[in-house]
Amino acid sequence: MQRLFSALRSAFYIAFLTATVIPWATVVVLASAVLNGTRIYWMCAGWLKLSIWGARAICGVNYRIHGMENVPDAAHTRDAVILASKHQSTWETFAFPALMPHPLCYVFKRELLWIPFFGWAMARMDMIHIDRSKRAEAWSKVAEQGKRYMAEGNWVIMFPEGTRAARGEQGVYKSGASRLAIAAGKPIVPIAVTSAVCWPRKSFLLKPGTIDVSIGRPISSEGRQPDELMREVETWIEAEMRRLDPEAYAA
């Protein structure tokens, strides 16, 4: 009975997202003809805040944040960092723009731009969309655009594992974020997030509970090597994941 109730609430939530994203994205696309990237970003972040609210109100998905003092606040408009986050579900991709005080530049596969309405709105923001089949070209685009956006005070966010990991599992941490941090001379902020507790990967079935988002202290990129820097990021994130969700790693 509980699973059936969760399924019904989840179905209502997906319907809620669909019903709200279509008019919201339409307004964003039209407004992009006269507004700049930052204003368009915050318009889109408004829908993401609505989606996180909907997850809580409809499905009982709550969250708590630890370590927000480890990132620059909204008053420090030119202080840029690179966020390197654990990736377990769709929730954190929605939540981070809704929670962070600065505009975020996601690095994502260009196929997401083809999603009706949602992708069209993403295309109007200052994001870095890449062709994963062309690795050298993709990295050049990340480096060039990432440094440019960070010079404007935006933050770049990357998921070092590249794809969503199941709860209690660990993917292969790639060095793209650390390479960009070194090239741009910016610190990396590691983030652990237990989103799979409530929203498992490859699933639209949301479960009531509380997601923990833990933001680590910035890790300097000065004088570092990409692989060695990423190992430090990986060590912090995975240790924090085991602290936040010990049940998932009990085996």
Side-chain angles (χ1 to χ4, degrees):
M1 181 61 70
Q2 184 176 359
R3 183 175 178 81
L4 175 60
F5 188 49
S6 292
L8 291 173
R9 294 206 297 181
S10 297
F12 184 71
Y13 176 61
I14 298 303
F16 168 79
L17 293 181
T18 303
T20 54
V21 75
I22 292 174
W24 206 297
T26 300
V27 171
V28 166
V29 171
L30 293 175
S32 66
V34 294
L35 297 180
N36 62 26
T38 300
R39 292 183 180 180
I40 292 298
Y41 174 89
W42 290 119
M43 287 180 65
C44 292
W47 180 80
L48 295 173
K49 290 179 182 179
L50 182 67
S51 71
I52 296 303
W53 172 86
R56 182 176 66 249
I58 299 169
C59 299
V61 177
N62 296 292
Y63 65 88
R64 55 194 170 208
I65 305 175
H66 319 267
M68 186 61 84
E69 68 277 5
N70 290 324
V71 294
D73 60 27
H76 295 81
T77 57
R78 289 293 174 179
D79 291 348
V81 296
I82 297 172
L83 305 180
S85 174
K86 184 73 176 179
H87 194 17
Q88 289 192 326
S89 83
T90 302
W91 185 87
E92 60 267 15
T93 61
F94 283 3
F96 287 146
L99 301 176
M100 295 296 173
H102 284 231
L104 304 183
C105 299
Y106 278 81
V107 178
F108 61 89
K109 57 184 179 181
R110 65 177 183 176
E111 287 81 1
L112 293 179
L113 298 176
W114 304 339
I115 300 174
F117 297 101
F118 181 83
W120 302 342
M122 289 180 66
R124 298 304 196 274
M125 294 186 287
D126 294 333
M127 301 288 175
I128 306 171
H129 44 88
I130 59 174
D131 183 349
R132 287 184 174 179
S133 66
K134 300 177 180 178
R135 298 180 64 88
E137 180 182 312
W139 162 245
S140 296
K141 187 173 186 179
V142 170
E144 177 187 354
Q145 294 189 358
K147 287 190 287 187
R148 175 161 56 87
Y149 289 144
M150 284 190 288
E152 297 170 358
N154 296 344
W155 300 353
V156 173
I157 180 168
M158 300 178 73
F159 300 105
E161 293 166 288
T163 189
R164 289 169 290 179
R167 185 184 178 195
E169 294 187 2
Q170 177 179 344
V172 176
Y173 279 67
K174 303 174 181 65
S175 62
S178 57
R179 290 170 65 192
L180 177 59
I182 292 168
K186 302 296 182 181
I188 293 184
V189 175
I191 302 176
V193 55
T194 63
S195 53
V197 168
C198 297
W199 192 343
R201 70 169 187 164
K202 299 181 180 179
S203 174
F204 289 106
L205 183 64
L206 282 69
K207 299 180 290 186
T210 300
I211 295 170
D212 282 294
V213 179
S214 182
I215 304 170
R217 293 179 178 177
I219 301 173
S220 174
S221 63
E222 185 176 355
R224 308 293 293 272
Q225 295 298 315
D227 289 342
E228 174 254 340
L229 177 57
M230 183 49 63
R231 293 293 77 77
E232 183 174 347
V233 171
E234 176 184 0
T235 298
W236 188 92
I237 291 175
E238 293 302 324
E240 188 70 354
M241 289 298 298
R242 285 156 177 79
R243 186 185 72 82
L244 296 171
D245 190 12
E247 180 182 341
Y249 297 90

